[in-house]
């Protein structure tokens, strides 16, 4: 991440996601540079598309992009923009940055996979706690539970930046809609891995990763 010295206004958004992203790509997601176009791959959707430095760093470490392109981050000729572009960056599934889009797109991705008879690939989407202020996320959340979208996994990075908050915590909102949900320390790799891989038959899964508050 230290190689990306461009004019970045969302550094906390990047650093808050780093540990969870690393555990996902290092130990959970079934996708690699060689299988990035394979229909049977797992899909990762970065809805929290602003502050993507940690995402780019993990993609570079895993070989999707060259480490040499990191130094041009945010530059005019660089493929690494302040919001990820799926047409420019290998391994990126969606162009993102407009808040509230990722979870609905993840729901649609699961439905599309089901329609093709692909029930093994898992779909992961990373959202920020403040994104839960967006109504589109609640529509997707309310649909996914009753629809039993077991392939769907939502990772919520909670850095205390939501406008409203939720009585009982963010996980309770997902549980009320029929999801399996857990809240963990977003810096504890073993806790993240256990939450990411816990079985949740017949239900979508939400993992709320708490990190230090955004200042």
């Amino acid at each position: 991440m230290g190689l990306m010295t461009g004019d970045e206004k969302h550094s906390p958004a990047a650093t808050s996601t780093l540990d969870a992203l690393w555990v996902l790509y290092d130990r959970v997601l079934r996708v690699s540079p060689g299988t990035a176009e394979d229909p049977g791959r797992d899909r990762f959707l970065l809805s929290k598309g602003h502050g993507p430095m940690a995402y780019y760093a993990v993609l570079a470490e895993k070989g999707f992009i060259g480490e040499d392109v990191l130094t041009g981050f945010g530059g005019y000729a660089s493929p690494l923009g302040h919001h990820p572009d799926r047409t420019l960056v290998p391994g990126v599934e969606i162009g993102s940055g407009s808040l509230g889009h990722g979870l609905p797109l993840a729901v649609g991705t699961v439905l599309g996979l089901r329609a093709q008879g692909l029930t093994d690939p898992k779909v992961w989407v990373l959202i920020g706690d403040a994104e839960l202020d967006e109504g589109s996320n609640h529509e997707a959340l309310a649909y996914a539970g009753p629809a039993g979208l077991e392939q769907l996994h939502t990772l919520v990075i909670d850095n205390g930046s939501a406008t409203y908050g939720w009585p009982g915590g963010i996980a309770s909102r997902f549980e009320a809609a029929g999801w399996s949900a857990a809240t963990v320390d977003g810096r504890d790799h073993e806790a993240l891995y256990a939450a990411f891989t816990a079985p949740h038959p017949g239900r979508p899964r939400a993992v709320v990763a708490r990190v230090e508050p955004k200042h």
Side-chain angles (χ1 to χ4, degrees):
M1 285 179 64
L3 296 175
M4 287 172 272
T5 57
D7 185 19
E8 173 54 59
K9 304 301 185 186
H10 293 288
S11 293
T15 55
S16 65
T17 65
L18 181 57
D19 292 271
L21 280 171
W22 177 252
V23 174
L24 271 178
Y25 271 89
D26 192 49
R27 302 171 64 180
V28 178
L29 291 173
R30 297 174 305 166
V31 64
S32 67
T35 62
E37 301 296 329
D38 189 324
R41 72 190 183 279
D42 288 345
R43 274 77 166 170
F44 173 78
L45 282 55
L46 183 72
S47 186
K48 188 181 171 72
H50 52 285
M53 291 188 295
Y55 186 38
Y56 293 151
V58 171
L59 288 176
E61 180 64 24
K62 289 300 179 182
F64 289 89
I65 58 177
E67 191 174 296
D68 57 306
V69 303
L70 298 179
T71 55
F73 167 67
Y76 179 76
S78 174
L80 306 183
H82 293 290
H83 292 164
D85 187 328
R86 66 176 297 275
T87 67
L88 298 178
V89 186
V92 171
E93 297 280 358
I94 60 170
S96 58
S98 297
L99 299 182
H101 288 176
L103 184 52
L105 286 170
V107 168
T109 301
V110 171
L111 294 175
L113 289 169
R114 278 188 171 187
Q116 299 174 74
L118 296 170
T119 57
D120 289 332
K122 295 179 174 60
V123 178
W124 283 84
V125 57
L126 186 154
I127 69 176
D129 60 323
E131 277 195 89
L132 289 174
D133 292 347
E134 304 290 339
S136 54
N137 276 330
H138 290 276
E139 292 181 7
L141 191 160
Y143 173 84
L149 301 187
E150 185 178 336
Q151 290 168 265
L152 176 62
H153 303 74
T154 300
L155 169 59
V156 184
I157 302 296
D158 181 6
N159 63 3
S161 60
T163 303
Y164 308 111
W166 301 99
I170 293 172
S172 67
R173 173 67 183 87
F174 285 87
E175 288 170 341
W179 292 56
S180 165
T183 302
V184 299
D185 180 347
R187 301 302 187 192
D188 184 331
H189 288 201
E190 293 307 318
L192 286 165
Y193 178 74
F196 291 165
T197 56
H200 50 96
R203 294 192 291 168
R205 176 71 167 168
V207 177
V208 180
R210 286 181 173 164
V211 297
E212 56 280 359
K214 179 180 178 181
H215 296 296

PDB file of all heavy atoms in Angstrom, residues 15-16 24 27 39 46 51 61 64 74 88 116-118 125 128 143 146 148 153 155-156 158 170 198 202 205 209:
ATOM      1  N   THR A  15      -7.444   1.200   4.696  1.00  0.00           N
ATOM      2  CA  THR A  15      -6.795   0.465   5.777  1.00  0.00           C
ATOM      3  C   THR A  15      -7.790  -0.367   6.578  1.00  0.00           C
ATOM      4  O   THR A  15      -7.430  -1.419   7.108  1.00  0.00           O
ATOM      5  CB  THR A  15      -6.054   1.426   6.713  1.00  0.00           C
ATOM      6  OG1 THR A  15      -6.967   2.429   7.193  1.00  0.00           O
ATOM      7  CG2 THR A  15      -4.915   2.127   5.986  1.00  0.00           C
ATOM      8  N   SER A  16      -9.039   0.058   6.648  1.00  0.00           N
ATOM      9  CA  SER A  16     -10.035  -0.679   7.425  1.00  0.00           C
ATOM     10  C   SER A  16     -10.359  -2.033   6.813  1.00  0.00           C
ATOM     11  O   SER A  16     -10.799  -2.949   7.498  1.00  0.00           O
ATOM     12  CB  SER A  16     -11.319   0.144   7.572  1.00  0.00           C
ATOM     13  OG  SER A  16     -11.949   0.338   6.316  1.00  0.00           O
ATOM     14  N   LEU A  24      -9.657 -13.267   3.048  1.00  0.00           N
ATOM     15  CA  LEU A  24     -10.513 -13.776   1.979  1.00  0.00           C
ATOM     16  C   LEU A  24      -9.683 -14.314   0.817  1.00  0.00           C
ATOM     17  O   LEU A  24      -9.868 -15.454   0.366  1.00  0.00           O
ATOM     18  CB  LEU A  24     -11.446 -12.677   1.474  1.00  0.00           C
ATOM     19  CG  LEU A  24     -12.787 -12.501   2.155  1.00  0.00           C
ATOM     20  CD1 LEU A  24     -13.544 -11.332   1.537  1.00  0.00           C
ATOM     21  CD2 LEU A  24     -13.629 -13.769   2.048  1.00  0.00           C
ATOM     22  N   ARG A  27      -7.107 -17.313   1.919  1.00  0.00           N
ATOM     23  CA  ARG A  27      -7.538 -18.565   2.530  1.00  0.00           C
ATOM     24  C   ARG A  27      -8.954 -19.010   2.182  1.00  0.00           C
ATOM     25  O   ARG A  27      -9.323 -20.140   2.517  1.00  0.00           O
ATOM     26  CB  ARG A  27      -7.428 -18.451   4.066  1.00  0.00           C
ATOM     27  CG  ARG A  27      -6.024 -18.128   4.531  1.00  0.00           C
ATOM     28  CD  ARG A  27      -5.958 -17.801   6.014  1.00  0.00           C
ATOM     29  NE  ARG A  27      -6.326 -18.917   6.869  1.00  0.00           N
ATOM     30  CZ  ARG A  27      -6.345 -18.849   8.202  1.00  0.00           C
ATOM     31  NH1 ARG A  27      -6.025 -17.721   8.815  1.00  0.00           N
ATOM     32  NH2 ARG A  27      -6.699 -19.905   8.912  1.00  0.00           N
ATOM     33  N   PRO A  39     -16.093 -19.998 -15.210  1.00  0.00           N
ATOM     34  CA  PRO A  39     -17.463 -19.880 -14.704  1.00  0.00           C
ATOM     35  C   PRO A  39     -17.637 -20.434 -13.291  1.00  0.00           C
ATOM     36  O   PRO A  39     -18.529 -20.001 -12.559  1.00  0.00           O
ATOM     37  CB  PRO A  39     -18.288 -20.687 -15.712  1.00  0.00           C
ATOM     38  CG  PRO A  39     -17.483 -20.670 -16.967  1.00  0.00           C
ATOM     39  CD  PRO A  39     -16.054 -20.693 -16.515  1.00  0.00           C
ATOM     40  N   LEU A  46     -16.397  -5.709  -4.707  1.00  0.00           N
ATOM     41  CA  LEU A  46     -16.049  -4.633  -3.772  1.00  0.00           C
ATOM     42  C   LEU A  46     -17.062  -3.512  -3.930  1.00  0.00           C
ATOM     43  O   LEU A  46     -16.958  -2.690  -4.830  1.00  0.00           O
ATOM     44  CB  LEU A  46     -14.628  -4.117  -4.033  1.00  0.00           C
ATOM     45  CG  LEU A  46     -14.151  -3.031  -3.063  1.00  0.00           C
ATOM     46  CD1 LEU A  46     -13.873  -3.613  -1.689  1.00  0.00           C
ATOM     47  CD2 LEU A  46     -12.908  -2.332  -3.607  1.00  0.00           C
ATOM     48  N   GLY A  51     -11.483   4.362  -1.877  1.00  0.00           N
ATOM     49  CA  GLY A  51     -10.353   3.924  -1.050  1.00  0.00           C
ATOM     50  C   GLY A  51      -9.940   2.505  -1.358  1.00  0.00           C
ATOM     51  O   GLY A  51      -9.855   1.671  -0.456  1.00  0.00           O
ATOM     52  N   GLU A  61      -0.402  -8.735  -4.722  1.00  0.00           N
ATOM     53  CA  GLU A  61       0.271  -9.795  -3.985  1.00  0.00           C
ATOM     54  C   GLU A  61      -0.136 -11.171  -4.501  1.00  0.00           C
ATOM     55  O   GLU A  61       0.669 -12.108  -4.502  1.00  0.00           O
ATOM     56  CB  GLU A  61      -0.045  -9.677  -2.499  1.00  0.00           C
ATOM     57  CG  GLU A  61       0.598 -10.735  -1.620  1.00  0.00           C
ATOM     58  CD  GLU A  61       2.120 -10.674  -1.601  1.00  0.00           C
ATOM     59  OE1 GLU A  61       2.670  -9.591  -1.884  1.00  0.00           O
ATOM     60  OE2 GLU A  61       2.754 -11.700  -1.306  1.00  0.00           O
ATOM     61  N   PHE A  64      -2.728 -10.915  -9.653  1.00  0.00           N
ATOM     62  CA  PHE A  64      -3.710 -10.459 -10.642  1.00  0.00           C
ATOM     63  C   PHE A  64      -3.175  -9.259 -11.425  1.00  0.00           C
ATOM     64  O   PHE A  64      -3.490  -9.084 -12.601  1.00  0.00           O
ATOM     65  CB  PHE A  64      -5.022 -10.078  -9.952  1.00  0.00           C
ATOM     66  CG  PHE A  64      -5.799 -11.234  -9.410  1.00  0.00           C
ATOM     67  CD1 PHE A  64      -5.587 -11.699  -8.118  1.00  0.00           C
ATOM     68  CD2 PHE A  64      -6.760 -11.872 -10.185  1.00  0.00           C
ATOM     69  CE1 PHE A  64      -6.307 -12.766  -7.609  1.00  0.00           C
ATOM     70  CE2 PHE A  64      -7.491 -12.946  -9.693  1.00  0.00           C
ATOM     71  CZ  PHE A  64      -7.251 -13.395  -8.396  1.00  0.00           C
ATOM     72  N   GLY A  74      -3.922   6.236  -9.348  1.00  0.00           N
ATOM     73  CA  GLY A  74      -4.637   7.504  -9.460  1.00  0.00           C
ATOM     74  C   GLY A  74      -4.141   8.402 -10.563  1.00  0.00           C
ATOM     75  O   GLY A  74      -4.713   9.472 -10.789  1.00  0.00           O
ATOM     76  N   LEU A  88     -10.450  -2.561 -16.714  1.00  0.00           N
ATOM     77  CA  LEU A  88      -9.032  -2.214 -16.705  1.00  0.00           C
ATOM     78  C   LEU A  88      -8.194  -3.050 -15.748  1.00  0.00           C
ATOM     79  O   LEU A  88      -6.982  -3.162 -15.932  1.00  0.00           O
ATOM     80  CB  LEU A  88      -8.852  -0.728 -16.342  1.00  0.00           C
ATOM     81  CG  LEU A  88      -9.462   0.309 -17.286  1.00  0.00           C
ATOM     82  CD1 LEU A  88      -9.233   1.711 -16.741  1.00  0.00           C
ATOM     83  CD2 LEU A  88      -8.867   0.183 -18.691  1.00  0.00           C
ATOM     84  N   GLN A 116     -27.948 -20.654 -14.348  1.00  0.00           N
ATOM     85  CA  GLN A 116     -27.042 -21.436 -15.192  1.00  0.00           C
ATOM     86  C   GLN A 116     -26.715 -22.796 -14.589  1.00  0.00           C
ATOM     87  O   GLN A 116     -25.923 -23.551 -15.148  1.00  0.00           O
ATOM     88  CB  GLN A 116     -25.738 -20.665 -15.395  1.00  0.00           C
ATOM     89  CG  GLN A 116     -25.898 -19.332 -16.093  1.00  0.00           C
ATOM     90  CD  GLN A 116     -24.584 -18.570 -16.111  1.00  0.00           C
ATOM     91  OE1 GLN A 116     -23.663 -18.916 -16.863  1.00  0.00           O
ATOM     92  NE2 GLN A 116     -24.473 -17.553 -15.287  1.00  0.00           N
ATOM     93  N   GLY A 117     -27.324 -23.102 -13.434  1.00  0.00           N
ATOM     94  CA  GLY A 117     -27.058 -24.367 -12.778  1.00  0.00           C
ATOM     95  C   GLY A 117     -25.738 -24.403 -12.033  1.00  0.00           C
ATOM     96  O   GLY A 117     -25.242 -25.482 -11.702  1.00  0.00           O
ATOM     97  N   LEU A 118     -25.153 -23.234 -11.777  1.00  0.00           N
ATOM     98  CA  LEU A 118     -23.872 -23.143 -11.071  1.00  0.00           C
ATOM     99  C   LEU A 118     -24.144 -22.871  -9.595  1.00  0.00           C
ATOM    100  O   LEU A 118     -24.335 -21.725  -9.184  1.00  0.00           O
ATOM    101  CB  LEU A 118     -23.007 -22.036 -11.675  1.00  0.00           C
ATOM    102  CG  LEU A 118     -22.578 -22.246 -13.131  1.00  0.00           C
ATOM    103  CD1 LEU A 118     -21.931 -20.985 -13.693  1.00  0.00           C
ATOM    104  CD2 LEU A 118     -21.625 -23.431 -13.240  1.00  0.00           C
ATOM    105  N   VAL A 125     -19.471 -10.073  -1.168  1.00  0.00           N
ATOM    106  CA  VAL A 125     -19.524  -8.632  -1.403  1.00  0.00           C
ATOM    107  C   VAL A 125     -19.083  -7.920  -0.125  1.00  0.00           C
ATOM    108  O   VAL A 125     -19.490  -8.290   0.976  1.00  0.00           O
ATOM    109  CB  VAL A 125     -20.936  -8.184  -1.842  1.00  0.00           C
ATOM    110  CG1 VAL A 125     -22.007  -8.568  -0.834  1.00  0.00           C
ATOM    111  CG2 VAL A 125     -20.973  -6.676  -2.101  1.00  0.00           C
ATOM    112  N   GLY A 128     -19.424  -1.177   3.377  1.00  0.00           N
ATOM    113  CA  GLY A 128     -19.106  -0.431   4.586  1.00  0.00           C
ATOM    114  C   GLY A 128     -20.348  -0.241   5.438  1.00  0.00           C
ATOM    115  O   GLY A 128     -21.478  -0.305   4.933  1.00  0.00           O
ATOM    116  N   TYR A 143     -34.609  -9.300   0.550  1.00  0.00           N
ATOM    117  CA  TYR A 143     -34.933 -10.340  -0.423  1.00  0.00           C
ATOM    118  C   TYR A 143     -34.104 -11.597  -0.209  1.00  0.00           C
ATOM    119  O   TYR A 143     -34.612 -12.719  -0.289  1.00  0.00           O
ATOM    120  CB  TYR A 143     -34.703  -9.814  -1.845  1.00  0.00           C
ATOM    121  CG  TYR A 143     -34.842 -10.881  -2.905  1.00  0.00           C
ATOM    122  CD1 TYR A 143     -36.094 -11.227  -3.406  1.00  0.00           C
ATOM    123  CD2 TYR A 143     -33.724 -11.569  -3.384  1.00  0.00           C
ATOM    124  CE1 TYR A 143     -36.231 -12.224  -4.356  1.00  0.00           C
ATOM    125  CE2 TYR A 143     -33.856 -12.564  -4.334  1.00  0.00           C
ATOM    126  CZ  TYR A 143     -35.100 -12.879  -4.815  1.00  0.00           C
ATOM    127  OH  TYR A 143     -35.244 -13.876  -5.749  1.00  0.00           O
ATOM    128  N   PRO A 146     -35.225 -14.506   2.768  1.00  0.00           N
ATOM    129  CA  PRO A 146     -36.348 -15.388   2.424  1.00  0.00           C
ATOM    130  C   PRO A 146     -36.097 -16.209   1.160  1.00  0.00           C
ATOM    131  O   PRO A 146     -36.639 -17.314   1.023  1.00  0.00           O
ATOM    132  CB  PRO A 146     -37.508 -14.411   2.217  1.00  0.00           C
ATOM    133  CG  PRO A 146     -37.158 -13.219   3.057  1.00  0.00           C
ATOM    134  CD  PRO A 146     -35.664 -13.104   2.953  1.00  0.00           C
ATOM    135  N   GLY A 148     -33.368 -17.587   0.436  1.00  0.00           N
ATOM    136  CA  GLY A 148     -32.437 -18.665   0.767  1.00  0.00           C
ATOM    137  C   GLY A 148     -31.188 -18.679  -0.093  1.00  0.00           C
ATOM    138  O   GLY A 148     -30.734 -19.740  -0.521  1.00  0.00           O
ATOM    139  N   HIS A 153     -22.574 -14.128   0.394  1.00  0.00           N
ATOM    140  CA  HIS A 153     -21.859 -13.776   1.620  1.00  0.00           C
ATOM    141  C   HIS A 153     -21.601 -12.263   1.616  1.00  0.00           C
ATOM    142  O   HIS A 153     -21.050 -11.742   0.640  1.00  0.00           O
ATOM    143  CB  HIS A 153     -20.525 -14.512   1.705  1.00  0.00           C
ATOM    144  CG  HIS A 153     -20.654 -15.997   1.637  1.00  0.00           C
ATOM    145  ND1 HIS A 153     -20.935 -16.656   0.456  1.00  0.00           N
ATOM    146  CD2 HIS A 153     -20.546 -16.947   2.592  1.00  0.00           C
ATOM    147  CE1 HIS A 153     -20.999 -17.956   0.691  1.00  0.00           C
ATOM    148  NE2 HIS A 153     -20.759 -18.160   1.969  1.00  0.00           N
ATOM    149  N   LEU A 155     -19.730  -9.173   3.638  1.00  0.00           N
ATOM    150  CA  LEU A 155     -18.752  -8.742   4.630  1.00  0.00           C
ATOM    151  C   LEU A 155     -18.972  -7.254   4.877  1.00  0.00           C
ATOM    152  O   LEU A 155     -18.842  -6.446   3.952  1.00  0.00           O
ATOM    153  CB  LEU A 155     -17.338  -9.012   4.119  1.00  0.00           C
ATOM    154  CG  LEU A 155     -16.178  -8.395   4.892  1.00  0.00           C
ATOM    155  CD1 LEU A 155     -16.155  -8.865   6.333  1.00  0.00           C
ATOM    156  CD2 LEU A 155     -14.856  -8.704   4.190  1.00  0.00           C
ATOM    157  N   VAL A 156     -19.327  -6.905   6.097  1.00  0.00           N
ATOM    158  CA  VAL A 156     -19.553  -5.502   6.466  1.00  0.00           C
ATOM    159  C   VAL A 156     -18.373  -5.020   7.296  1.00  0.00           C
ATOM    160  O   VAL A 156     -18.095  -5.567   8.366  1.00  0.00           O
ATOM    161  CB  VAL A 156     -20.852  -5.331   7.274  1.00  0.00           C
ATOM    162  CG1 VAL A 156     -21.103  -3.835   7.544  1.00  0.00           C
ATOM    163  CG2 VAL A 156     -22.044  -5.945   6.551  1.00  0.00           C
ATOM    164  N   ASP A 158     -17.155  -2.466   9.745  1.00  0.00           N
ATOM    165  CA  ASP A 158     -17.783  -1.523  10.671  1.00  0.00           C
ATOM    166  C   ASP A 158     -16.705  -0.668  11.333  1.00  0.00           C
ATOM    167  O   ASP A 158     -16.031  -1.103  12.253  1.00  0.00           O
ATOM    168  CB  ASP A 158     -18.578  -2.298  11.728  1.00  0.00           C
ATOM    169  CG  ASP A 158     -19.281  -1.381  12.716  1.00  0.00           C
ATOM    170  OD1 ASP A 158     -19.254  -0.151  12.521  1.00  0.00           O
ATOM    171  OD2 ASP A 158     -19.851  -1.905  13.694  1.00  0.00           O
ATOM    172  N   ILE A 170     -25.242  -4.290  13.906  1.00  0.00           N
ATOM    173  CA  ILE A 170     -25.506  -4.518  12.483  1.00  0.00           C
ATOM    174  C   ILE A 170     -25.934  -5.959  12.209  1.00  0.00           C
ATOM    175  O   ILE A 170     -26.842  -6.215  11.417  1.00  0.00           O
ATOM    176  CB  ILE A 170     -24.259  -4.166  11.655  1.00  0.00           C
ATOM    177  CG1 ILE A 170     -23.992  -2.658  11.732  1.00  0.00           C
ATOM    178  CG2 ILE A 170     -24.419  -4.600  10.200  1.00  0.00           C
ATOM    179  CD1 ILE A 170     -22.685  -2.221  11.102  1.00  0.00           C
ATOM    180  N   ALA A 198     -17.808 -20.588   8.385  1.00  0.00           N
ATOM    181  CA  ALA A 198     -18.840 -21.264   9.173  1.00  0.00           C
ATOM    182  C   ALA A 198     -19.987 -21.718   8.265  1.00  0.00           C
ATOM    183  O   ALA A 198     -20.399 -20.987   7.371  1.00  0.00           O
ATOM    184  CB  ALA A 198     -19.370 -20.331  10.256  1.00  0.00           C
ATOM    185  N   GLY A 202     -28.838 -23.176   3.702  1.00  0.00           N
ATOM    186  CA  GLY A 202     -30.124 -22.588   3.349  1.00  0.00           C
ATOM    187  C   GLY A 202     -30.264 -21.111   3.605  1.00  0.00           C
ATOM    188  O   GLY A 202     -31.337 -20.546   3.362  1.00  0.00           O
ATOM    189  N   ARG A 205     -25.050 -15.504   4.314  1.00  0.00           N
ATOM    190  CA  ARG A 205     -24.173 -15.287   5.461  1.00  0.00           C
ATOM    191  C   ARG A 205     -23.688 -13.843   5.499  1.00  0.00           C
ATOM    192  O   ARG A 205     -23.306 -13.281   4.458  1.00  0.00           O
ATOM    193  CB  ARG A 205     -22.963 -16.221   5.356  1.00  0.00           C
ATOM    194  CG  ARG A 205     -21.888 -16.052   6.423  1.00  0.00           C
ATOM    195  CD  ARG A 205     -22.344 -16.531   7.772  1.00  0.00           C
ATOM    196  NE  ARG A 205     -21.209 -16.635   8.706  1.00  0.00           N
ATOM    197  CZ  ARG A 205     -21.345 -16.813  10.015  1.00  0.00           C
ATOM    198  NH1 ARG A 205     -22.555 -16.903  10.544  1.00  0.00           N
ATOM    199  NH2 ARG A 205     -20.283 -16.920  10.788  1.00  0.00           N
ATOM    200  N   ALA A 209     -17.236  -7.116  10.470  1.00  0.00           N
ATOM    201  CA  ALA A 209     -15.852  -7.018  10.950  1.00  0.00           C
ATOM    202  C   ALA A 209     -15.650  -5.640  11.574  1.00  0.00           C
ATOM    203  O   ALA A 209     -15.643  -4.630  10.868  1.00  0.00           O
ATOM    204  CB  ALA A 209     -14.878  -7.243   9.810  1.00  0.00           C
TER     205      ALA A 209
END
